[in-house]
Amino acid sequence: MTAADTELQPRRKGLSRRQKRSLSRGAQYLVFVAAVIAFAVGADWGRLRNQFAQWDIARQMFPDVITLALKNTVLYTLSGFVVGLALGMVIALMRLSSVGPYRWLAGVYIEIFRGLPALLIFIFIGVAVPLAFPGTEIIGGTYGKVALALGLVAAAYMAETIRAGIQAVPKGQLEAARSLGFSPARAMVSIVIPQAFRIILPPLTNELVLLFKDSSLVLFLGVTLEERELSKYGRDLASTTANSTPILVAGLCYLLVTIPLGFVVRRMEAKAQEAVR
């Protein structure tokens, strides 16, 4: 066979890029299905049901798990979110200030409270503050302590989110307001901040979901029976009944709130993307 005959033979073609992606996707599905089957076959469902699905114990939790534990969890979360949003707004404006010390203080606060675990903040509020200021009481008792602890943690993240939202507003908006006679402060409050909040609403809602879960740290402050949130309520009943069903029910109550909030976040993000297009 001559070299010319070799050149006339059709060249072998490998898999196309689309075929490779299809094979890769198919392999991933097979691995996932195999893992699910292995879990379903290997798990001891009888023991899991006895430990986590005792419906008699679950029925005993109602209505207190909703009217007491879930209610307290929601109150703790909302109070912490309000404190964090207010403090985060102040820190964000300090971060954007032309005054150097303000920017430095805001930067130090953000770095410290973003770096510290939320657990340490709760312990600091519950132990260090009473030692540093003997005889003083935080307004609102346990609710005030939780609002302060969650707010301090959330403010560090919200400040950066708010700052990014303010900087995302076109500078022409502020310049137009100034040309109409608005003072810098009035232009920021009336023109820039409302537009910034429309931009940052999805990440702020995500922060609300995170605070809802972080509210479980309230147990480190020492709470009464009437002040228990979902995690503390579930753990106490699990210890009393020697069964983990209360923990599962508490987890499902968390999902009753976090799943709808997650759906709201996705809808807001989708609308924001449509507006950009």
Side-chain angles (χ1 to χ4, degrees):
M1 183 179 294
T2 63
D5 294 333
T6 303
E7 292 179 358
L8 291 175
Q9 289 182 352
R11 295 181 179 178
R12 292 182 179 180
K13 293 183 178 179
L15 295 176
S16 65
R17 185 175 299 177
R18 179 177 299 178
Q19 289 173 328
K20 290 180 180 179
R21 284 200 300 265
S22 298
L23 286 175
S24 176
R25 191 178 300 113
Q28 293 173 22
Y29 288 150
L30 286 175
V31 171
F32 174 75
V33 171
V36 171
I37 293 174
F39 175 78
V41 172
D44 190 338
W45 294 103
R47 296 183 64 182
L48 286 174
R49 183 171 59 253
N50 290 334
Q51 186 65 24
F52 289 95
Q54 292 293 327
W55 305 120
D56 292 338
I57 297 176
R59 282 196 295 268
Q60 295 174 8
M61 298 177 64
F62 292 89
D64 287 349
V65 69
I66 301 296
T67 59
L68 176 67
L70 182 58
K71 181 199 72 174
N72 283 336
T73 302
V74 172
L75 289 177
Y76 292 149
T77 302
L78 292 179
S79 59
F81 184 80
V82 171
V83 172
L85 184 61
L87 184 57
M89 174 63 71
V90 174
I91 295 172
L93 293 177
M94 290 174 62
R95 186 80 162 169
L96 295 171
S97 174
S98 58
V99 181
Y102 287 168
R103 294 196 306 273
W104 181 81
L105 288 174
V108 170
Y109 178 92
I110 290 170
E111 293 302 323
I112 290 176
F113 282 91
R114 281 199 310 182
L116 289 176
L119 172 60
L120 295 183
I121 306 301
F122 272 82
I123 294 175
F124 177 81
I125 296 298
V127 178
V129 171
L131 289 176
F133 304 98
T136 59
E137 289 288 338
I138 296 177
I139 299 174
T142 300
Y143 293 95
K145 293 178 183 178
V146 176
L148 180 59
L150 287 177
L152 288 174
V153 175
Y157 295 93
M158 290 186 183
E160 287 294 87
T161 302
I162 294 172
R163 178 187 63 81
I166 291 175
Q167 291 180 327
V169 177
K171 293 183 179 180
Q173 298 285 333
L174 183 61
E175 295 172 354
R178 294 298 306 279
S179 67
L180 293 175
F182 283 68
S183 65
R186 186 183 175 191
M188 179 65 70
V189 172
S190 302
I191 305 298
V192 177
I193 291 179
Q195 295 184 65
F197 265 85
R198 284 196 290 270
I199 298 171
I200 64 176
L201 198 54
L204 286 182
T205 309
N206 274 328
E207 185 62 34
L208 181 62
V209 174
L210 295 176
L211 285 180
F212 188 74
K213 294 184 293 183
D214 285 344
S215 64
S216 61
L217 297 173
V218 68
L219 64 93
F220 291 98
L221 295 177
V223 295
T224 64
L225 293 177
E226 297 300 319
E227 295 170 341
R228 290 178 297 175
E229 41 70 51
L230 282 171
S231 293
K232 176 66 172 171
Y233 184 83
R235 287 184 59 187
D236 288 350
L237 285 183
S239 300
T240 303
T241 60
N243 190 272
S244 300
T245 299
I247 296 177
L248 176 63
V249 175
L252 293 176
C253 289
Y254 276 104
L255 295 179
L256 287 177
V257 176
T258 56
I259 289 178
L261 281 178
F263 176 77
V264 170
V265 170
R266 289 191 295 272
R267 292 293 300 171
M268 289 191 297
E269 289 176 345
K271 288 185 178 180
Q273 290 177 357
E274 291 176 358
V276 171
R277 294 173 186 173

